[in-house]
Amino acid sequence: APIEQDPLLTRDIRFYFLPNSATLDMANKENHDFLANVNHLLGVSPGSMILLRGHVDDQQKESFRKGGGNALVQKMALKAMELSQQRADEVKRRLIEKYPTITNDRLEVIGRGWEEPAGKNSDLNRRVEVQWFTVE
């Protein structure tokens, strides 16, 4: 079964990225706190792993539809999927860089684009969601 099926804990952490970018804003203290929180979750249970799910908002979806129809919407949906994957990858990279004891195999990443929104609030959709799993 896919790892997403049975998390022990889901934490909705909103990492802050530079606008329209996959670059984590490391000038923001909260990002350092969030990275420390993920490191702590991994430290609590040596047999656990983290799934980082990247999301982006769909605020411009209707303007894409008006400007280029469904073809442009589909093209931009693919770009949104890429950006969400890049954001999850960036969080993973920063975690491993900041905490070298975290091994690559304890962090999974997936990009969800704008097709899996957290709600109508666009801020909720500009995030990387953290799910914590035990591995048997």
Side-chain angles (χ1 to χ4, degrees):
I3 189 172
E4 293 183 82
Q5 298 297 322
D6 194 22
L8 280 176
L9 172 74
T10 298
R11 274 205 66 201
D12 205 6
I13 296 176
R14 182 177 177 244
F15 285 95
Y16 294 90
F17 294 89
L18 298 180
N20 299 312
S21 165
T23 303
L24 203 55
D25 181 1
M26 296 311 289
N28 187 311
K29 183 193 175 312
E30 285 183 279
N31 281 338
H32 292 276
D33 295 341
F34 296 152
L35 292 171
N37 289 340
V38 173
N39 181 55
H40 176 72
L41 285 174
L42 288 168
V44 167
S45 176
S48 65
M49 66 182 306
I50 296 287
L51 174 66
L52 303 166
R53 292 166 36 124
H55 300 269
V56 298
D57 72 62
D58 66 350
Q59 289 291 329
Q60 295 181 329
K61 193 173 184 178
E62 284 309 309
S63 66
F64 296 145
R65 189 177 320 282
K66 289 176 185 172
N70 285 336
L72 182 59
V73 170
Q74 289 175 349
K75 178 181 176 182
M76 298 312 289
L78 289 174
K79 289 192 177 292
M81 187 68 74
E82 289 172 15
L83 178 58
S84 66
Q85 178 71 41
Q86 291 166 353
R87 286 180 171 178
D89 287 337
E90 170 74 350
V91 171
K92 178 179 179 175
R93 184 185 74 75
R94 292 290 185 157
L95 278 164
I96 291 171
E97 178 182 276
K98 188 168 182 159
Y99 303 102
T101 58
I102 298 175
T103 58
N104 195 40
D105 63 335
R106 295 190 68 200
L107 300 170
E108 291 286 329
V109 294
I110 190 165
R112 290 298 189 199
W114 67 39
E115 298 304 322
E116 192 177 288
K120 295 190 186 281
N121 181 341
S122 65
D123 284 348
L124 291 175
N125 294 310
R126 296 179 192 137
R127 75 192 196 292
V128 171
E129 177 183 11
V130 176
Q131 291 183 313
W132 180 44
F133 299 84
T134 57
V135 180
E136 296 179 10

